[in-house]
Amino acid sequence: MIDGSRKTRGPAGAEHLLTNIERSPSGARGPTASSGARSSLGGVSRRIFVCGASAGLAAAALGCAPGATRQSLSPQPPPKGVDPALVEILRLAALAPSGHNAQPWFVAIEGMNLSIQRDESCELPAVDPQNRELALSVGAFIENLSLAAGAAGFTAEIEIVGQDPKEDHELARVSLIPSEASGYNLERLEQRRTLRKGHLDRPLDNTTLAALTGPLDHFAFFPADSAEGRRLAELTYGANEQQTWRDDAQRELAMWMRLADEEVEAQRDGLTPEGMEIHGIAGAVVRRYDNEDVMSKRFRERSLKMVREQLDAYGGWLVIRGLSGLEGLIQTGRQWQRSFLLARELGVAFHPMTQALEEKGYVDLVLEEFGGSGGWPQFLLRTSFVAPEDYAAPVSPRKPVAWFVDVVER
Ligand SMILES: Cc1cc2nc3c(=O)[nH]c(=O)nc-3n(C[C@H](O)[C@H](O)[C@H](O)COP(=O)(O)O)c2cc1C
């Protein structure tokens, strides 16, 4: 185990009683080609046969082409009355990761002063009732915003104004002050992605780990075959199982699934087949599902099988600790994002699997067994080396800037 506490701060009082509940994004996976299609999906079996018998362009023409991706979305007009440099900064900020890809941020713009708010329509009450993950996601958004602003020649002065991500609507204020461009490599923002497949089963070496965790104050890395690694896998599977059979969590997951290409184009958020790495024939099948299929026994069983497979081969667990409360969560989200932005160039995949931090009965065990200096575990990340050819481009959709901003008249 490598423990990386760089600073010592105590956990914040009783705030460690995290009651959040997460869902099983991996659970979003549908049947594979070999599983065949359900009879309720009229015409799908025949389609699979045709696709399976075809190859290359012919297969693509018949519906086995890739599903909708970030790159395939039609361009949308920028918001009116906003400086184009700011529009670009906000576009890059929104490339941040978020639970269920809900993109729970909203920005009120007054010149170069921004009010960062939570978007209540993007909350996940069944899996994140305290908005803990929402705050971590907004932290990642703020980090991207700060880095993009720096590269564009602005210093982002950030003030956390709220205290509780559940109660407070406005979370932070940001003022962009002209300054010298930072030279930060924005390709890192464009190229970052969550990777759930292709994890290699060897632990990270110390050099890679040191580079990856440079931005983190408090973390620990446990190789998959260590006692702690095996314990985290056990807790993660148990929590996934519990969550997958919890109807309110599964219903919420279904609501954030964007299975059909038209839905991806219209909504530009949520979990898509391509984003979940369901490609080829399996992707073609899943794109024909409706969201009600996500509630089926078969779908849930398949989801758990995928989780089991994910936990069979990987490098290890990166446990990131941080304080609870809005400021601590935003700080942890920012640090995590800085680390995440280095992952691709280090050949490392990050896969957040935070269900064990969220499901009742599991949270206390994780806090008890994996707490440490600097706060409480806030992220459990399956972390592994990945072959360069398996590090695909990012594909999860994002809402255009005009959809998540409002211009305040001065
Ligand atoms: C707070 C948080 C929790 C997440 N939890 C999970 C998870 O449990 N399982 C998973 O597969 N992905 C998880 N993700 C990853 C998101 O699904 C992912 O960021 C989102 O779909 C956008 O995709 P991208 O990261 O490739 O841009 C989480 C992300 C965040 C920010």
Side-chain angles (χ1 to χ4, degrees), residues 357-380:
L357 274 175
E358 302 150 351
E359 280 294 315
K360 210 169 171 184
Y362 290 87
V363 182
D364 288 345
L365 291 174
V366 175
L367 296 186
E368 197 181 303
E369 296 175 34
F370 294 93
S373 61
W376 305 102
Q378 302 291 359
F379 274 111
L380 303 179

Side-chain angles (χ1 to χ4, degrees), residues 262-284:
E262 303 74 46
E263 223 187 336
V264 182
E265 168 71 23
Q267 309 275 8
R268 299 172 186 232
D269 58 7
L271 300 167
T272 65
E274 289 296 330
M276 293 180 293
E277 294 157 80
I278 308 174
H279 308 299
I281 294 167

Side-chain angles (χ1 to χ4, degrees), residues 5-16:
S5 275
R6 298 203 165 89
K7 298 194 180 112
T8 41
R9 289 188 299 238
E15 285 171 349
H16 72 282

Side-chain angles (χ1 to χ4, degrees), residues 22-27 29 70 94-103 128 132-138 140 192-196 240 243 270-272 275-276 310 336 340 350-355 358 378-381 394-398:
E22 236 286 271
R23 68 280 167 233
S24 169
S26 328
R29 295 173 192 263
R70 185 182 302 175
L95 297 180
S98 58
H100 283 12
N101 194 25
Q103 304 169 45
D128 185 28
R132 184 186 71 92
E133 296 205 7
L134 180 147
L136 292 167
S137 304
V138 169
R192 183 213 56 83
R193 66 162 294 163
T194 300
L195 264 188
R196 301 172 180 89
N240 267 280
Q243 194 169 86
L271 300 167
T272 65
M276 293 180 293
Q310 288 167 351
W336 171 55
F340 207 161
F350 267 166
H351 176 197
M353 292 184 92
T354 39
Q355 290 78 8
E358 302 150 351
Q378 302 291 359
F379 274 111
L380 303 179
L381 304 164
V395 289
S396 61
R398 289 298 185 276

